[in-house]
Amino acid sequence: MNVSEALATRITCRDFLDTPVPPETVRKILENAKRAPSGGNLQPWHVWVLGGDRLKEFKKLIAEKLPQNPAGEGTEYDIYPKGLKEPYRSRRAQCGEDMYGTIGVAREDKTGRMMQFARNFDLFGAPVALFFAMDRQMGYGQWADLGMFMQSIMLSAREEGLHTAPQEAWAIWYKTLGEFLNIPEDMMLFCGMGLGYMNEEAPINTLRTARAPLEEFVVFDGI
């Protein structure tokens, strides 16, 4: 698989098979991804990888907490900017409508939407979980570096026939995650990511979000 194919086939997988991912494959993906660029070669990313019984233990812990606190524990950062303006607001809304449309959940079906949102915290059934954090000393540039590292993981996963689900939703459980994973206090949790084999039969995995034409966000000057 070349890079263009990996980019074209990468999606946020929202229904995984329970097929185990070999540990050596996970290590290979991370070895490849660590070549991602970072300003000054700081390599500011930190990752916790969960699988097997340890992941089951963690999922059970979250499942026990969800009924009493479906909104989680709050976040340490704004997942989306406050007062999101156009065209970003409409893009986000359309993404949600398209996603729920694949599984027949109407806008007024609040229960159905909450149930689907809760699936985030089962990692959509993924057998491997990755959680990403950054030293609190880092700034905007290093957060961009983390994003490039994560994208490298997602593309390397496609090369191995795997799919991923990057999930900022995990930010609402930063306290529980910090305690369970023993994340140092001088680090901030950013997000989680499910990793595994995609359930090709799941309707929700047919979602392909739209992309704006180049003319909407690129200025060509002299080329």
Side-chain angles (χ1 to χ4, degrees), residues 155-173:
L155 297 182
S156 293
R158 290 301 302 120
E159 186 179 37
E160 300 298 324
L162 297 164
H163 276 274
T164 52
Q167 299 171 268
E168 286 178 297
W170 282 107
I172 72 172
W173 290 105

Side-chain angles (χ1 to χ4, degrees), residues 129-192:
L130 299 89
F131 295 100
F132 301 87
M134 289 266 287
D135 193 301
R136 295 177 185 276
Q137 182 185 28
M138 300 300 170
Y140 296 135
Q142 289 72 54
W143 285 102
D145 295 340
L146 174 57
M148 289 187 281
F149 173 66
M150 291 177 59
Q151 174 79 330
S152 298
I153 290 173
M154 290 186 275
L155 297 182
S156 293
R158 290 301 302 120
E159 186 179 37
E160 300 298 324
L162 297 164
H163 276 274
T164 52
Q167 299 171 268
E168 286 178 297
W170 282 107
I172 72 172
W173 290 105
Y174 74 96
K175 293 179 183 178
T176 298
L177 270 163
E179 293 170 1
F180 189 86
L181 300 174
N182 293 315
I183 297 176
E185 290 186 2
D186 61 355
M187 290 189 189
M188 180 185 290
L189 175 79
F190 174 49
C191 71

Side-chain angles (χ1 to χ4, degrees), residues 2-144:
N2 62 36
V3 176
S4 295
E5 291 170 329
L7 283 165
T9 60
R10 186 217 63 80
I11 68 166
T12 297
C13 178
R14 294 182 173 88
D15 197 318
F16 290 90
L17 300 175
D18 59 6
T19 307
V21 178
E24 58 270 22
T25 301
V26 179
R27 286 183 172 273
K28 179 181 179 182
I29 289 169
L30 291 168
E31 283 285 352
N32 288 339
K34 75 181 187 182
R35 299 303 306 175
S38 60
N41 197 33
L42 295 187
Q43 304 171 66
W45 41 76
H46 293 267
V47 192
W48 283 258
V49 184
L50 287 180
D53 290 341
R54 185 68 169 156
L55 179 55
K56 291 177 183 177
E57 180 185 353
F58 176 67
K59 286 184 176 183
K60 182 174 181 292
L61 174 63
I62 295 296
E64 290 170 350
K65 291 191 172 194
L66 265 176
Q68 290 77 34
N69 198 1
E73 303 157 337
T75 65
E76 291 197 277
Y77 68 92
D78 292 328
I79 294 178
Y80 296 103
K82 293 180 173 65
L84 194 62
K85 63 183 182 181
E86 295 296 346
Y88 316 111
R89 182 179 179 181
S90 291
R91 288 176 184 168
R92 182 189 175 197
Q94 189 63 55
C95 177
E97 290 303 308
D98 291 346
M99 182 191 73
Y100 288 115
T102 65
I103 53 176
V105 175
R107 177 187 291 270
E108 61 273 13
D109 185 357
K110 303 299 184 185
T111 300
R113 292 193 170 212
M114 287 182 65
M115 288 176 63
Q116 177 58 37
F117 179 71
R119 290 211 65 216
N120 275 282
F121 307 114
D122 183 49
L123 290 140
F124 305 115
V128 177
L130 299 89
F131 295 100
F132 301 87
M134 289 266 287
D135 193 301
R136 295 177 185 276
Q137 182 185 28
M138 300 300 170
Y140 296 135
Q142 289 72 54
W143 285 102

